[in-house]
Amino acid sequence: MAIQLSAEQFESIRSHGVREYPNECCGMLLGRTDGEAKEVSEVVALRNLRHDPARAEELLPLEDPGRESEKNRFLIDPLEQLRVERDARERGLDVLGYYHSHPDHPARPSNYDREHAWPWYSYVILSVEQGEASEMTSWVLSEDRARFDAELLKL
Ligand SMILES: [Zn+2]
């Protein structure tokens, strides 16, 4: 499977990552699957709930708060996620995946990313180096959840 983004969608993820730097940005990718490709029709920017540490801790406590923060963790509000999913379904769109940024880190999934991912969905990662958008990659979790495989990101 490959994931297809328009130049405009590609730019909107990059600018979201730059806007949120040095924190992680996150969002959802909606669209349709056409044979072997996931065709993105909408990029939905979401709020990183880690900006609200008290609420985030209630939902998903950090294992190592000294080392983890909104700078290297993102958390999507489950209510917001449900709302986006429901709204997408009503318009005949599917959730194809999620995106987030890695401020000053490579565009490769972390162990944390793997532990909080589901198979089939695309996980797009944008590296933001010193405030500038850098490499963007896409990953799919293997069925046994053991590893992420790189996915072709088409523009
Ligand atoms: Zn990550």
Side-chain angles (χ1 to χ4, degrees):
M1 203 72 119
I3 186 156
Q4 175 108 40
L5 289 172
S6 68
E8 201 180 313
Q9 290 159 350
F10 181 76
E11 268 319 307
S12 82
I13 295 173
R14 286 164 60 90
S15 61
H16 190 197
V18 167
R19 233 166 34 239
E20 290 297 318
Y21 182 89
N23 298 320
E24 287 197 6
C25 74
C26 56
M28 289 168 76
L29 305 169
L30 309 179
R32 295 189 174 86
T33 45
D34 174 29
E36 283 301 283
K38 295 177 183 138
E39 290 185 359
V40 176
S41 54
E42 281 174 44
V43 171
V44 183
L46 298 175
R47 203 169 71 94
N48 182 354
L49 203 60
R50 293 279 175 216
H51 289 333
D52 181 354
R55 170 113 168 89
E57 275 302 296
E58 277 172 28
L59 286 166
L60 184 66
L62 292 173
E63 282 164 25
D64 183 359
R67 219 172 47 78
E68 299 173 306
S69 73
E70 61 194 328
K71 292 189 170 55
N72 57 11
R73 295 286 181 264
F74 75 97
L75 180 64
I76 293 173
D77 187 329
L79 291 177
E80 198 173 16
Q81 183 170 355
L82 270 179
R83 185 180 53 71
V84 172
E85 279 175 7
R86 198 178 310 124
D87 177 62
R89 215 175 313 121
E90 277 169 11
R91 291 178 299 125
L93 300 174
D94 293 317
V95 176
L96 301 179
Y98 301 84
Y99 72 88
H100 71 285
S101 61
H102 280 181
D104 296 319
H105 281 281
R108 313 206 139 265
S110 62
N111 281 331
Y112 180 90
D113 291 337
R114 186 172 49 76
E115 285 162 11
H116 296 87
W118 302 275
W120 189 83
Y121 292 103
S122 295
Y123 289 87
V124 168
I125 302 178
L126 168 72
S127 172
V128 182
E129 298 284 348
Q130 305 293 320
E132 303 222 10
S134 179
E135 195 187 8
M136 196 189 292
T137 54
S138 183
W139 305 83
V140 176
L141 191 67
S142 60
E143 286 295 333
D144 62 4
R145 304 187 60 139
R147 57 169 207 286
F148 263 118
D149 294 318
E151 180 183 49
L152 182 62
L153 182 66
K154 293 203 286 189
L155 282 182

